[in-house]
Amino acid sequence: MRLVLLGAPGSGKGTQAARLKEHLQVPHISTGDLLRAEVAAGTPLGLQAKEVMARGDLVSDEILLGMLKDRFSREDTKAGFILDGYPRNLAQAAALGELLDSLGQKFDAAVQLTVDNEQIIERLAGRAKAEGRADDSPESVRHRLNVYDQQTAPVIEFYRQNGQLTVVDGVGSLDEVFTRIIEAISPSCEIG
């Protein structure tokens, strides 16, 4: 099972990805975690990324794709993966498809977790208070939600047009949302 998880910040992607990882027995690949690991390891791509991030710029699609290509070539991804944080734009969505084709791997589904923006703001305000995170202030969250909507709407439409999008209500208990995801992907849940 090769899945892409889509959803606004605070929609529960990370939480559900951890549960899906256990259920499907495939790795959860977060591009943010991947970037940090490559930088920490001092790999050539990690050094390139570190230089870009030190300037305050976004890491290029080319660098991210190179990291994903390396990650997908590892043995633990042969049965699939759960990708979180990528693709964020149309160019990345197209590049991901081409990369998987070149590796002889099929793409199964993009799962979009939908949660009302006001509920996300409430969720993240609770997280900000519990964890002392300044980046989860209501103003910051609203800005991140606007950026997400602008950048990701075309990606969602891309997967919808290709018949690969599954939309799941992200509101409810962790178990309820998890059950909805499993039911939504079950028809394509042939692992391997």
Side-chain angles (χ1 to χ4, degrees):
M1 176 64 65
R2 289 167 191 85
L3 296 176
V4 167
L5 283 183
L6 300 170
S11 63
K13 292 185 311 292
T15 301
Q16 293 300 334
R19 298 183 88 180
L20 286 166
K21 172 185 174 180
E22 294 304 314
H23 181 78
L24 299 173
Q25 294 295 298
V26 297
H28 168 211
I29 301 171
S30 159
T31 51
D33 292 346
L34 191 58
L35 256 174
R36 287 183 285 279
E38 293 281 331
V39 169
T43 67
L45 285 172
L47 294 174
Q48 280 183 295
K50 184 177 182 178
E51 185 179 309
V52 170
M53 293 185 303
R55 293 193 308 260
D57 294 331
L58 291 174
V59 175
S60 72
D61 290 353
E62 184 180 339
I63 291 173
L64 281 174
L65 195 64
M67 290 180 181
L68 285 173
K69 182 177 183 178
D70 177 63
R71 184 65 184 90
F72 292 163
S73 70
R74 297 182 196 163
E75 191 62 33
D76 68 337
T77 64
K78 296 298 182 214
F81 54 80
I82 301 153
L83 190 55
D84 174 9
Y86 189 96
R88 291 183 183 229
N89 59 49
L90 279 177
Q92 289 179 352
L96 176 61
E98 291 169 12
L99 173 60
L100 290 174
D101 284 348
S102 75
L103 296 172
Q105 297 182 9
K106 68 179 177 63
F107 177 77
D108 293 298
V111 176
Q112 179 190 12
L113 291 178
T114 59
V115 179
D116 177 79
N117 282 357
E118 290 309 309
Q119 287 181 301
I120 287 175
I121 292 167
E122 283 180 34
R123 281 183 185 183
L124 294 183
R127 183 171 83 178
K129 187 174 181 181
E131 299 176 15
R133 291 181 56 158
D135 66 327
D136 284 342
S137 70
E139 299 77 28
S140 174
V141 171
R142 279 189 183 87
H143 174 72
R144 287 169 34 214
L145 290 172
N146 285 335
V147 169
Y148 172 81
D149 287 343
Q150 291 169 7
Q151 290 181 348
T152 312
V155 175
I156 291 166
E157 190 55 33
F158 171 85
Y159 287 122
R160 179 177 285 119
Q161 288 179 357
N162 286 310
Q164 297 170 312
L165 181 69
T166 298
V167 180
V168 174
D169 181 0
V171 178
S173 73
L174 296 178
D175 289 339
E176 289 169 340
V177 175
F178 180 73
T179 298
R180 285 185 211 128
I181 294 170
I182 294 302
E183 288 173 354
I185 64 173
S186 288
S188 59
C189 212
E190 296 171 5
I191 299 176

